[in-house]
Amino acid sequence: MSEPIQSVRGMNDLLPPDSAKWGFFERRCRELFERHGYEEIRTPVLEHTSLFARGIGEATDIVEKEMYTFSDRKGRSLTMRPEMTASCVRAYIEHGIAKREPVTRWYYAGPMFRYERMQTGRYRQFYQIGVECFGVAEPTVEAEQIAMLVQLYGDLRVPSLPVQVNSIGGAADRPRYRAALVAYLEPHATELCGDCQRRMATNPLRVLDCKVDAGSPVLAGAPRVLDHLTEASRARFDAACATLTELGIQFQIDPRLVRGFDYYTGLVFEIQSDAPALGTQCALVGGGRYDELVESMGGPATPAVGFALGVERGILALPGGAKDFVPRPDLFIATLGEAARRHALVIAQRLRGAGLRVEVEHRPVGLKAQLKRADNLDAASSLVLGDVELASGRAKLRDMGTRAEREVALSALESELARR
Ligand code: HAM
């Protein structure tokens, strides 16, 4: 016998009943985002590698170490998307969306791929749900997005910590800050990892979110972007914070929050959870403003802001066992004999057409086994259909909770079930 083939490490199957909990979580996200005016976008999983190299940044951990990149049959370099912002920006430019509408609000849900070291809540294929808003420069829009997230986790009772916010400034702020950071880091160069020594020259901001040097006293003492913002950037950040306060959102300013992408320009934020199921404290959501990305990728100058949440992490932190999310059948029809089995299908088709959830036993097994299955499926009611019931057009409808039985006309099942 040959060895069974296993799934790829870090890429998981999603099976029932877990898929029911996922479905619930995803539906709640979609409903909430749509109530805020976001419309769904779907883009391909594969993109040209250059999209992420340019969009996310050559010196980021994701682009340097974590992408699934390969050549196709014609030797073109393709990458399985590690995130969606770059793909949304590509689509926004490619379809000339800016010419069609002044404000664009998109949401997406789907798998992302990063070759990361695995732990609880960190996988190589993982799912994100996120939003991107193009065309609004006013800082109220990031406050609205954050409020939407806080509402989401509140409604779902996902325990989350106060929102962490920071501003990392844009093109106008960078030169000053970069100079201050490099001047500080240079004397400490030998205390940093090899990658960071290199990044000091190419992209010093990335030193601040290096996973190897995380926790190093050198990084803890580094100058903070917030102290080097231009007046205009500081005012924008303060305005966003003031809106959050007005909305009653609990947040903390974390001057060390930098996020691992080059595209951010202003306010950035994360929401973390310390739910025990996640093991260590970890990020449920990350996002921020990226006002320069669309133009730098060849589109018209367009302010933009967005976030993505990790679905696996949301599910791990969401209270309730997976089984609690599985919808139970309204009716289980047990069948005795072939004629009854066939007629059960006719009844089931009618009831399903009326919106009821009906399960029919197709296997010729004993009644006891059939009713046991009805119990296992947690059906609300059951019905036994045999030759006698077919002839009389009446059958006993059993409430599976109380075990009480009532004889009912098969033609009146809809109203009987609706009464329960
Ligand atoms: P990100 O912080 O890299 O941001 O990812 C967002 C969320 O995806 C994280 O907070 C986490 O919940 C989840 N996540 C990330 N990596 C993994 C992993 N390996 N396994 C499981 N979950 C993971 C972005 O991707 C940005 N594109 C967000 C954004 C949208 N910024 C602006 N617009």
Side-chain angles (χ1 to χ4, degrees):
M1 245 187 22
S2 59
E3 278 284 300
I5 296 170
Q6 310 249 309
S7 63
V8 175
R9 216 169 119 72
M11 307 202 175
N12 301 311
D13 297 313
L14 175 65
L15 305 176
D18 295 330
S19 49
K21 197 172 177 184
W22 277 60
F24 170 81
F25 184 84
E26 287 175 359
R27 279 193 300 279
R28 295 299 282 269
C29 292
R30 284 172 188 271
E31 280 163 18
L32 184 69
F33 296 171
E34 286 173 8
R35 262 188 272 150
H36 285 73
Y38 288 85
E39 295 172 285
E40 186 173 11
I41 173 172
R42 299 190 190 200
T43 63
V45 164
L46 282 182
E47 298 273 5
H48 293 291
T49 304
S50 52
L51 174 69
F52 302 115
R54 274 173 61 193
I56 298 175
E58 298 271 8
T60 57
D61 267 1
I62 292 184
V63 172
E64 276 188 352
K65 302 178 190 165
E66 295 172 0
M67 294 207 304
Y68 280 90
T69 296
F70 57 90
S71 298
D72 73 0
R73 287 170 188 275
K74 289 214 167 134
R76 289 170 292 222
S77 181
L78 301 180
T79 292
M80 295 169 76
R81 63 183 185 201
E83 60 106 52
M84 273 292 283
T85 309
S87 301
C88 286
V89 167
R90 176 199 50 69
Y92 183 80
I93 299 169
E94 187 168 333
H95 301 284
I97 306 292
K99 283 192 233 99
R100 285 199 234 156
E101 54 193 27
V103 178
T104 298
R105 292 179 195 264
W106 283 341
Y107 77 85
Y108 48 82
M112 311 295 150
F113 303 84
R114 296 183 195 172
Y115 196 93
E116 289 202 81
R117 234 158 39 89
M118 280 166 321
Q119 60 185 57
T120 308
R122 194 194 287 157
Y123 312 98
R124 292 181 176 166
Q125 172 171 335
F126 60 97
Y127 287 75
Q128 280 188 345
I129 301 183
V131 308
E132 311 292 349
C133 174
F134 297 96
V136 184
E138 284 63 29
T140 38
V141 78
E142 44 262 51
E144 185 185 46
Q145 286 186 350
I146 292 173
M148 180 165 82
L149 277 167
V150 169
Q151 184 180 351
L152 176 75
Y153 291 125
D155 287 353
L156 291 171
R157 298 197 176 75
V158 169
S160 63
L161 300 170
V163 186
Q164 305 293 315
V165 299
N166 189 21
S167 173
I168 60 164
D173 310 87
R174 286 287 155 75
R176 267 201 310 172
Y177 177 63
R178 200 183 148 116
L181 184 60
V182 173
Y184 166 82
L185 290 175
E186 261 168 359
H188 297 286
T190 51
E191 297 159 61
L192 298 172
C193 75
D195 278 343
C196 283
Q197 294 184 18
R198 191 168 39 77
R199 284 170 180 161
M200 267 170 52
T202 53
N203 194 341
L205 217 71
R206 289 279 69 85
V207 175
L208 299 176
D209 66 277
C210 172
K211 285 183 188 135
V212 181
D213 287 326
S216 132
V218 178
L219 297 197
R224 308 165 345 153
V225 197
L226 263 188
D227 300 328
H228 291 79
L229 292 181
T230 57
E231 240 172 72
S233 296
R234 181 74 213 200
R236 287 181 50 83
F237 179 64
D238 290 343
C241 291
T243 313
L244 288 178
T245 305
E246 254 178 77
L247 286 165
I249 307 285
Q250 287 193 12
F251 68 96
Q252 290 169 348
I253 297 175
D254 175 3
R256 301 272 162 233
L257 179 68
V258 283
R259 312 260 313 127
F261 303 82
D262 279 356
Y263 50 63
Y264 290 119
T265 49
L267 183 135
V268 289
F269 64 94
E270 277 189 6
I271 299 181
Q272 310 214 332
S273 168
D274 56 2
L278 285 166
T280 51
Q281 182 173 321
C282 78
L284 295 173
V285 189
R289 196 164 257 293
Y290 50 97
D291 286 345
E292 293 154 21
L293 185 61
V294 177
E295 192 175 18
S296 77
M297 299 295 285
T302 309
V305 54
F307 67 74
L309 61 85
V311 178
E312 287 83 352
R313 293 182 191 181
I315 304 277
L316 280 168
L318 177 65
K323 279 211 163 132
D324 301 342
F325 296 86
V326 177
R328 56 200 295 235
D330 298 303
L331 179 66
F332 181 93
I333 307 182
T335 54
L336 300 171
E338 207 179 312
R341 236 172 0 253
R342 282 203 302 271
H343 194 70
L345 280 189
V346 176
I347 295 175
Q349 180 170 288
R350 201 184 81 216
L351 296 179
R352 289 172 186 147
L356 292 160
R357 203 174 276 275
V358 183
E359 176 89 22
V360 175
E361 181 55 72
H362 290 266
R363 301 167 309 151
V365 291
L367 191 57
K368 208 167 147 202
Q370 296 194 40
L371 292 177
K372 185 151 184 248
R373 203 165 148 245
D375 264 333
N376 288 344
L377 291 170
D378 198 20
S381 300
S382 70
L383 184 84
V384 180
L385 205 62
D387 292 340
V388 179
E389 287 78 12
L390 287 190
S392 66
R394 299 182 72 78
K396 284 202 181 111
L397 186 64
R398 175 189 282 194
D399 182 312
M400 295 299 285
T402 62
R403 300 293 193 207
E405 288 189 335
R406 249 165 60 81
E407 196 179 278
V408 300
L410 294 176
S411 57
L413 273 172
E414 285 89 335
S415 52
E416 286 294 333
L417 290 167
R419 279 202 323 169
R420 293 171 183 222

